[in-house]
Amino acid sequence: MEDSPLSRRRLLWGAAGTAGTALAAVGLPQLMRPGEETEPALPRPGRKAPVAAAGPPAATRPDPSVDYAPAVWVEASESNYTASDRPEAYPIEYVVIHLTTDTLPVMFAKFRDDAERVSAHYMISATGTRIAQCVRERDVAWHSGSVWYNHRSIGIEHEGWTDQPVYTDGMYEASAVLTATICAKYDVPVDRDHILGHVEVPLSTHDDPGTVWDWDKYMNLVGTARRRIRT
């Protein structure tokens, strides 16, 4: 096998992805402290999205080309992201945490709409039982509002509403394992300088994931998951 910096990085990415997949499959329940209560599922919001905006339910399919095996592939329009060859073209140095402010089907429809000019790499359901990948990690999703950060980050959307946030244990855990896998794959430090909320991106006009998001809990989960991923 070729021995070069690029080939060694590719071996690292494969090892991190395999480890993250295994942890997602068998390790999630062990991340929470024994006896910690499970939070209720996200309640139905007090308003309904317009039928025209929601459209039909998003079609999903397992795809061996996804970067994270537990995810299903729900492709964003090519008009809503920039094709690239990261991390060769740009280093991946950050993970940006978002809140959808709408249901997953509505967000999938937005990402497929050429006129929306928005996307994210991943979306996680309110219960944490569903993870969708919409943009390949090598490509640049348009999620942070900053061209510089977009080129150097992975964006993860979480289903919920800033005025009615209920972050479940399942969502925190699923997101933590995904983030830990990304950090292992691209050697991103597990700290608050590199794992950011959308609100923390410079010049951001957004306030997600909101004040209810428990950063201490989340970072502890990411750290635990990262230590279990051997590369």
Side-chain angles (χ1 to χ4, degrees), residues 28 31-32 39 124-128 158 166-178 212-215 217-219 221-222:
L28 284 175
L31 290 179
M32 302 301 294
E39 298 176 10
I124 300 178
S125 69
T127 59
H158 299 77
V166 177
Y167 295 116
T168 65
D169 287 346
M171 173 186 279
Y172 275 121
E173 296 222 10
S175 178
V177 175
L178 171 57
V212 178
W213 181 266
D214 189 336
W215 278 108
K217 175 178 180 175
Y218 185 67
M219 293 303 295
L221 289 170
V222 175

Side-chain angles (χ1 to χ4, degrees), residues 29 32 42 54 69-70 83 91 127 134 140 144 147 184 191 199 214 224 228 230:
M32 302 301 294
L42 184 73
T127 59
C134 304
V140 179
S144 76
V147 172
D191 60 39
V199 65
D214 189 336
T224 299
R228 296 183 181 185
R230 302 192 182 277

Side-chain angles (χ1 to χ4, degrees), residues 8-172:
R8 288 194 292 272
R9 283 200 300 273
R10 285 174 174 162
L11 285 173
L12 174 63
W13 303 337
T18 300
T21 299
L23 185 58
V26 303
L28 284 175
Q30 286 73 45
L31 290 179
M32 302 301 294
R33 294 188 297 274
E36 185 168 356
E37 293 184 0
T38 301
E39 298 176 10
L42 184 73
R44 186 178 300 275
R47 58 194 179 281
K48 295 183 179 179
V51 174
T60 62
R61 64 183 187 279
D63 192 318
S65 68
V66 295
D67 298 297
Y68 185 60
V72 295
W73 181 242
V74 186
E75 187 173 11
S77 166
E78 293 181 359
S79 298
N80 291 333
Y81 65 89
T82 302
S84 187
D85 187 26
R86 303 188 307 169
E88 275 70 41
Y90 300 93
I92 295 175
E93 301 175 304
Y94 303 94
V95 177
V96 180
I97 302 299
H98 299 266
L99 183 68
T100 62
T101 69
D102 230 321
T103 63
L104 291 192
V106 172
M107 295 303 296
F108 292 145
K110 288 182 178 180
F111 286 6
R112 292 197 306 269
D113 185 339
D114 295 351
E116 287 289 341
R117 313 293 288 175
V118 67
S119 62
H121 294 92
Y122 293 98
M123 282 200 278
I124 300 178
S125 69
T127 59
T129 56
R130 185 183 188 191
I131 302 175
Q133 182 170 2
C134 304
V135 177
R136 293 297 303 270
E137 291 176 5
R138 67 176 178 240
D139 296 326
V140 179
W142 300 347
H143 62 96
S144 76
S146 164
V147 172
W148 193 92
Y149 275 88
N150 282 350
H151 278 83
R152 293 163 177 82
S153 65
I154 300 290
I156 304 176
E157 290 275 5
H158 299 77
E159 186 179 29
W161 295 262
T162 52
D163 59 341
Q164 299 175 336
V166 177
Y167 295 116
T168 65
D169 287 346
M171 173 186 279
Y172 275 121

